[in-house]
Amino acid sequence: MATLTWHGHACISLETDEGTRILFDPFLTDNPAADIRPDDIDRLDYILVSHGHFDHFIDCIPLAKRTGATVVSTFELVTFCSNQGVEKVHGMNIGGGHRFPFGRVKLTPALHTGSIAGDDTGAFTTDCCGFLLELNSGKRVYYSGDTALIKDMELLSGSVDVALLPIGDNYTMDPADAARAVEFIQPRVVIPVHYNTWDLIAQDPEEFRRLVGERAEVVVLKPGDSYEV
Ligand code: NI
Ligand code: MN
């Protein structure tokens, strides 16, 4: 079993059954919802980053430098990381996949803007992406990234066990749009993220559960809670 842990906002860690440690969208510094601090992370193998907004990227470079983790993201974002001194990066682009030791990763479309926090030139601006992971266990995890509801999500139908979707509104889908995304994706399990970090994205996850109804199992986590994939 792989263990997925929510650290508040869209920051998720995933430890595979082989012990590979993956962190999605590191946002622990100044994250009022976080259950841990960056220093609490001692070993990390991969950091998967959907886009460069501070609430997804702020701890990426320091964590990568300290732990030696490989940063996986869009070409522009990993180039920025390389230029900042990160040694191990793997650049990809939307629609492309790659087999890593822990499984296959494919970058999926997301509809969201994507400047990079810390890039004063604008030269590294890049679209947000999502990630579809097929772990060696065969389990498939979809991390949508910040996104609007897009019809392209229908293409994932039948290929997702666990979906992580934003429900916070204002910057991303709201619970109603996220419930429609569930209709498109048809995952077995859905976990809502990117809400209740600040008042602006306050949401009741039970409302999301009600809207999803029988279409999928809705697992509501508190920061620090884990789910076995
Ligand atoms: Ni964003
Ligand atoms: Mn965000």
Side-chain angles (χ1 to χ4, degrees), residues 140-197:
R140 298 156 305 176
V141 176
Y142 170 55
Y143 179 97
S144 75
D146 282 5
T147 186
L149 175 68
I150 49 173
K151 200 79 161 51
D152 299 28
M153 288 169 173
E154 272 186 347
L155 297 170
L156 296 168
S157 172
S159 58
V160 177
D161 292 300
V162 179
L164 295 144
L165 301 178
I167 65 162
D169 206 3
N170 196 77
Y171 300 114
T172 67
M173 297 187 285
D174 68 353
D177 277 359
R180 287 200 70 195
V182 170
E183 228 177 288
F184 291 164
I185 301 159
Q186 300 189 298
R188 206 167 43 74
V189 170
V190 60
I191 301 175
V193 299
H194 211 280
Y195 69 99
N196 287 357
T197 318

Side-chain angles (χ1 to χ4, degrees), residues 51 53 55-56 112-113 146 194:
H51 66 303
H53 287 159
D55 60 319
H56 299 260
H112 189 74
T113 61
D146 282 5
H194 211 280

Side-chain angles (χ1 to χ4, degrees), residues 2-24:
T3 304
L4 187 154
T5 305
W6 189 39
H7 298 296
H9 204 59
C11 185
I12 304 272
S13 59
L14 181 66
E15 180 164 358
T16 69
D17 21 14
E18 296 131 345
T20 303
R21 295 188 192 186
I22 302 164
L23 187 67
F24 292 90

